[in-house]
Amino acid sequence: MTLSLAVAGKGGTGKTTFSALVIRALKEAGVRGILAVDADPNSNLAEALGVDAGKALADIREEGSSPEGSPQSGIGRARAIDDELQRAITEAEGFDLITMGRSEGPRCYCYVNNLLRKSLDSLTGSYEAIVIDNEAGMEHLSRRTTNNIDFLVTVMNPTMPSFRAVKRVLELSRELPVEIAERTVLVSRTRPEEAPEEVLRGLAELDARRLPDIPQDDAVEQAGAAGENVFALPEDSPALVAVRQLIDTLRNPSK
């Protein structure tokens, strides 16, 4: 059974780092077959994982929607899109990565998006876990270019602007043509002092399950500043330890 997580939130909250930590935690937990999907136009997941991004699906979409780049027959075009998708996958030790790329331009993409969706649906069925790093608008989920989701994890910092962004993401998620089994909220970069009362009150009123917080972790900040990926973090990194525990809880809800 495939475990699928979509991570979303305002830029700067640590959602890409969290997505990368989830992938490391799943790999260390023995999950064989992990697909990482960078669905944020500001693509940084490859860097956080220490791999090359490869060809973006947006480039395949652009080429497939232009008269000069499209095979003439429907079958030929479908085969070409599927072949391009396979070549766009970055294969790493323990996981694969797909980068979605920039937003759509002025062309009509309905047909090529449908082909991409079919190829992605076929591809994702072969993985045990899928982790999707989305931007706040969740464009790729709204266009149904990914599978249905087990957990939507909305990431925020303990501030009111960040909380408002998460609230908007959760509201948007209820309008998407994608089935989401459970909506959750995750507070990242927490410190020993409590969040402002207004934030705590807002969290208590959200129609979403609150996951355990991810603490502020200087090792994560130092790794990011040095251009290092999450696999360079020490085993006892507080953020990594918290993500390991969280993943264990999501994978084994009866614990």
Side-chain angles (χ1 to χ4, degrees):
M1 180 179 175
T2 301
L3 171 70
S4 56
L5 290 88
V7 183
K10 186 178 179 181
T13 57
K15 70 178 181 59
T16 296
T17 299
F18 171 73
S19 299
L21 287 171
V22 166
I23 291 161
R24 173 172 170 175
L26 287 167
K27 178 182 173 183
E28 292 176 346
V31 176
R32 296 290 175 259
I34 303 167
L35 179 62
V37 180
D38 190 342
D40 190 332
N42 184 25
S43 306
N44 292 309
L45 186 56
E47 183 179 352
L49 292 168
V51 299
D52 292 329
K55 185 174 184 177
L57 266 61
D59 295 334
I60 299 173
R61 181 186 63 212
E62 290 291 324
E63 294 165 4
S65 64
S66 65
E68 63 274 16
S70 305
Q72 293 302 309
S73 71
I75 294 175
R77 183 182 286 194
R79 185 177 297 117
I81 291 289
D82 191 59
D83 288 346
E84 285 292 321
L85 174 60
Q86 293 295 330
R87 285 194 287 270
I89 298 171
T90 296
E91 297 181 351
E93 185 180 349
F95 64 91
D96 292 342
L97 170 70
I98 288 178
T99 300
M100 301 298 285
R102 64 188 182 278
S103 302
E104 294 183 357
R107 293 179 186 151
C108 177
Y109 299 93
C110 296
Y111 180 61
V112 71
N113 271 343
N114 186 53
L115 294 178
L116 274 172
R117 182 172 66 246
K118 288 180 179 178
S119 293
L120 278 169
D121 283 349
S122 176
L123 174 71
T124 54
S126 61
Y127 291 91
E128 288 187 33
I130 302 167
V131 180
I132 308 168
D133 180 20
N134 295 272
E135 96 275 45
M138 298 189 290
E139 176 196 353
H140 292 291
L141 288 184
S142 67
R143 296 187 184 279
R144 185 56 180 87
T145 47
T146 48
N147 274 337
N148 293 340
I149 302 302
D150 293 324
F151 297 98
L152 171 62
V153 183
T154 56
V155 180
M156 59 173 279
N157 298 144
T159 66
M160 277 309 296
S162 188
F163 167 77
R164 293 189 190 102
V166 156
K167 187 176 180 180
R168 286 194 295 271
V169 169
L170 289 169
E171 290 170 352
L172 172 63
S173 75
R174 300 182 189 283
E175 302 172 5
L176 299 178
V178 178
E179 183 178 341
I180 299 172
E182 185 169 7
R183 292 166 175 80
T184 68
V185 59
L186 175 81
V187 185
S188 179
R189 296 175 176 166
T190 59
R191 297 182 181 275
E193 61 269 22
E194 269 201 339
E197 181 61 34
E198 189 178 10
V199 173
L200 294 174
R201 187 166 56 251
L203 284 168
E205 294 172 355
L206 280 181
D207 184 17
R209 172 185 171 192
R210 183 175 175 182
L211 299 175
D213 297 347
I214 305 298
Q216 170 66 27
D217 189 336
D218 292 340
V220 171
E221 302 296 334
Q222 291 164 6
E228 296 178 335
N229 61 73
V230 296
F231 293 100
L233 291 172
E235 290 291 320
D236 61 351
S237 157
L240 177 58
V241 170
V243 171
R244 283 194 189 114
Q245 293 171 346
L246 171 60
I247 290 303
D248 184 55
T249 299
L250 295 182
R251 293 181 67 213
N252 304 282
S254 60
K255 279 191 175 183

